[in-house]
Amino acid sequence: MSVNRNLPHIFVLPEDDANRQLVNGFVLELTRNVRQIQALPEAGGWLKALGRFNNPRDSHLTSLRKYPNSFLVVMIDGDGEEARFDEARKKIPADLSDRIFILGVWTEPEALKKDLGSYEKIGRALAQDCREGTARTWGHALLRHNEAEVARLRERARPILFVP
């Protein structure tokens, strides 16, 4: 299903299949505005996902520049690397820095799955946190490093995805 580009919308670029499944769980929890979020095909790794920022002709960057109500969430694995998420944010083009968000599990989604259950269940719980303004799941040890980015995204995403 495609988003309506004339309305505020969110694209999500998952690094891999596990992140795609988390996004699908998130979308399943939405009861309204499901046409305002779209999971893109898997990038095939965090470097490939971020490599798109170096290509000015990338269709997602072109779309973000053309549609001012368009947002992009990039889901990557931290692989336990202290600076991975900061490095990723530095690659975002300056003119799009307020509309691109980098999120992910500190290590890998598989570790989160061991603690919290299926990817669908985790994705649904993350959506509930976003809707309710809580951090029951986002506060998990493998996700809490996203706190500032989630707060920034929540400000933009809640009106798009969770308005009654």
Side-chain angles (χ1 to χ4, degrees):
M1 183 180 324
S2 297
V3 298
N4 180 342
R5 292 178 190 250
N6 295 313
L7 297 173
H9 57 277
I10 301 168
F11 288 110
V12 184
L13 176 61
E15 168 186 332
D16 56 20
D17 183 60
N19 282 294
R20 181 194 56 77
Q21 290 181 58
L22 289 171
V23 174
N24 287 345
F26 188 100
V27 172
L28 287 171
E29 184 63 23
L30 301 177
T31 55
R32 299 176 182 257
N33 302 327
V34 294
R35 294 221 34 206
Q36 295 319 113
I37 186 168
Q38 180 180 348
L40 300 169
E42 302 157 27
W46 72 277
L47 286 173
K48 288 183 180 180
L50 299 178
R52 294 179 178 210
F53 298 150
N54 296 327
N55 180 358
R57 293 187 188 142
D58 180 83
S59 62
H60 303 303
L61 297 181
T62 301
S63 179
L64 283 167
R65 289 184 172 111
K66 183 175 180 180
Y67 298 99
N69 288 319
S70 184
F71 300 89
L72 177 66
V73 176
V74 181
M75 300 275 302
I76 62 172
D77 299 346
D79 295 329
E81 297 290 331
E82 185 79 30
R84 167 109 15 121
F85 293 95
D86 290 334
E87 285 177 40
R89 286 184 195 96
K90 289 177 185 174
K91 295 185 182 300
I92 297 172
D95 64 314
L96 298 173
S97 64
D98 62 332
R99 295 191 290 132
I100 296 177
F101 306 86
I102 309 288
L103 297 173
V105 179
W106 179 252
T107 55
E108 294 181 348
E110 293 80 6
L112 193 62
K113 183 178 177 183
K114 287 179 186 174
D115 286 356
L116 301 178
S118 73
Y119 293 128
E120 179 181 322
K121 180 181 175 184
I122 297 165
R124 285 178 176 270
L126 293 172
Q128 289 170 358
D129 273 356
C130 287
R131 181 178 51 246
E132 297 165 8
T134 60
R136 287 184 298 269
T137 304
W138 282 111
H140 185 279
L142 295 174
L143 294 172
R144 73 172 62 119
H145 65 280
N146 292 299
E147 182 179 12
E149 196 77 343
V150 168
R152 198 170 73 85
L153 176 60
R154 202 179 261 165
E155 182 181 315
R156 299 296 193 113
R158 284 182 78 200
I160 297 170
L161 301 175
F162 301 108
V163 174

